[in-house]
Amino acid sequence: ILNVEQSPQSLHVQEGDSTNFTCSFPSSNFYALHWYRWETAKSPEALFVMTLNGDEKKKGRISATLNTKEGYSYLYIKGSQPEDSATYLCATSPPTGNQFYFGTGTSLTVIP
Amino acid sequence: DVKVTQSSRYLVKRTGEKVFLECVQDMDHENMFWYRQDPGLGLRLIYFSYDVKMKEKGDIPEGYSVSREKKERFSLILESASTNQTSMYLCASSSSHDRTLYEQYFGPGTRLTVT
């Protein structure tokens, strides 16, 4: 079992605020880092997959960075909107096999 | 669009009942997974399958079994449901062919309550 940790566990921000959260993982036995958004009553939806140290990905107001040497990834949301309210999950995958190892998630609530 | 469907969104069962959770995917994916999600614990892998009739234990297989008779369908079986199996169950699938793109695609989840 790979120990993937996310912080904070939950977050409340005002609409328009920018925010970020962290995913930490063991830097050994690493192949890829995945971010998912999970809205209430919906399926978790893939946001980003990153494999290389220094990778940065962006989708609209959401972006993510990856540091494989120190074992962390940041997810940033610029100008949070109520529709960004969700649980954000990160997961790592090892070089072999198909198993993902998930963190416990960060629950984001954006207050209008 | 990849579609992963689960047979029920909500299920209430009694202790000792045999429970079947069904998952179907329409993308011809080789890999299928069953997770449970509990507050503060994240997604934990119960079982996965990388081919028809093949199965592998995940991190928490005790009290569960699985069946994969057809490529598109992966069933999770609770042989004798217990209250500590009350949880949200998520099914996922992925392709084996392109490792850089082998995202897991999730179903909407089944919230199971065992009373």
Side-chain angles (χ1 to χ4, degrees), chain B:
Chain B
D1 273 356
V2 175
K3 198 164 185 182
V4 180
T5 57
Q6 295 182 228
S7 49
S8 306
R9 293 299 301 270
Y10 299 94
L11 210 52
V12 179
K13 295 291 182 181
R14 294 190 181 277
T15 301
E17 279 193 80
K18 190 168 185 175
V19 182
F20 293 86
L21 302 182
E22 305 285 340
C23 175
V24 178
Q25 51 93 6
D26 66 359
M27 280 300 292
D28 202 34
H29 282 169
E30 294 76 22
N31 308 313
M32 296 188 75
F33 307 83
W34 274 107
Y35 295 91
R36 62 178 282 178
Q37 194 263 346
D38 300 288
L41 293 178
L43 288 176
R44 292 182 293 166
L45 183 65
I46 304 171
Y47 267 97
F48 64 100
S49 168
Y50 52 87
D51 201 353
V52 176
K53 296 193 185 294
M54 305 302 287
K55 60 185 179 184
E56 294 281 345
K57 291 181 181 179
D59 300 321
I60 50 164
E62 296 78 20
Y64 303 95
S65 61
V66 289
S67 172
R68 188 142 181 229
E69 297 296 318
K70 293 186 178 181
K71 191 175 185 180
E72 67 271 18
R73 188 180 296 270
F74 192 35
S75 304
L76 181 70
I77 303 155
L78 287 66
E79 296 289 344
S80 177
S82 63
T83 55
N84 64 11
Q85 292 178 310
T86 291
S87 187
M88 169 71 85
Y89 289 88
L90 282 166
C91 175
S93 72
S94 72
S95 171
S96 292
H97 291 304
D98 185 344
R99 238 191 110 75
T100 60
L101 296 174
Y102 78 125
E103 281 299 343
Q104 290 192 12
Y105 296 87
F106 285 87
T110 295
R111 186 165 291 283
L112 172 68
T113 302
V114 182
T115 62

Side-chain angles (χ1 to χ4, degrees), chain A residues 20-102:
Chain A
N20 65 85
F21 16 97
T22 306
C23 174
S24 303
F25 54 89
S27 52
S28 61
N29 202 32
F30 172 85
Y31 175 74
L33 189 286
H34 307 256
W35 281 102
Y36 285 83
R37 174 169 57 202
W38 190 7
E39 296 177 66
T40 303
K42 294 186 178 179
S43 307
E45 171 197 5
L47 287 173
F48 304 113
V49 56
M50 296 178 286
T51 57
L52 299 176
N53 185 46
D55 259 354
E56 291 188 30
K57 294 284 178 82
K58 187 175 181 182
K59 186 183 286 188
R61 294 179 291 99
I62 304 177
S63 59
T65 61
L66 178 65
N67 184 321
T68 60
K69 292 184 179 179
E70 295 181 41
Y72 64 85
S73 175
Y74 294 137
L75 188 79
Y76 301 90
I77 302 178
K78 186 177 177 182
S80 303
Q81 299 297 308
E83 58 266 30
D84 296 328
S85 298
T87 296
Y88 291 83
L89 298 168
C90 73
T92 63
S93 50
T96 57
N98 297 300
Q99 188 167 346
F100 283 19
Y101 298 92
F102 282 87

